[in-house]
């Protein structure tokens, strides 16, 4: 289900769908970062998954983040850089939220 959720949010193999949650996220991230979307951020990570058509292989699943996966490594790295917690609106929480059908916590 998480693959379909990412696609439904507008992250597709053809790119980001106009007027979608994905386009809103991209616009907000670009404004916040001074005009660009940075590699490794929420938008870039979700678009990579949408283009590949698979979130499960990265460890973002409808049941949560899989242990030992790329997702768990991202979560661990993000937690270390934020003093032990994964911030709301950060890359890991946003990608997991969208993977589960949410709005990304933004």
């Amino acid at each position: 289900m998480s693959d379909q959720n990412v696609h439904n949010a507008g992250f597709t193999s053809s790119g980001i769908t106009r007027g979608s949650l994905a386009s809103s996220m991209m616009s907000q991230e670009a404004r916040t970062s001074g005009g660009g979307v940075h590699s490794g951020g929420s938008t870039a990570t979700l678009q990579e998954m949408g283009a590949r058509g698979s979130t499960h292989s990265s460890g973002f699943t409808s049941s949560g983040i899989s242990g030992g996966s790329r997702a768990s490594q991202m979560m661990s790295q993000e937690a270390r850089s934020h003093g032990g917690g994964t911030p709301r609106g950060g890359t890991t929480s946003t990608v997991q939220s969208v993977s589960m059908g949410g709005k990304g916590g933004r």
Side-chain angles (χ1 to χ4, degrees), residues 4-103:
Q4 187 62 43
N5 291 334
V6 171
H7 184 265
N8 288 345
F11 298 99
T12 73
S13 58
S14 302
I16 291 178
T17 305
R18 172 180 268 161
S20 66
L21 172 63
S23 67
S24 295
M25 287 177 62
M26 183 175 68
S27 176
Q28 181 178 354
E29 189 174 335
R31 282 192 308 271
T32 302
S33 66
V37 176
H38 65 278
S39 175
S42 305
T43 303
T45 300
L46 283 160
Q47 182 51 41
E48 177 186 346
M49 291 175 186
R52 278 190 282 127
S54 178
T55 59
H56 291 295
S57 63
S58 298
F60 293 98
T61 74
S62 57
S63 301
I65 292 175
S66 301
S69 66
R70 176 178 171 217
S72 68
Q73 292 170 354
M74 286 173 63
M75 183 174 68
S76 178
Q77 181 180 358
E78 192 170 23
R80 280 193 307 272
S81 69
H82 287 90
T86 304
R88 177 185 170 110
T91 300
T92 304
S93 62
T94 300
V95 172
Q96 183 59 33
S97 174
V98 170
S99 296
M100 295 181 77
K103 302 256 188 238

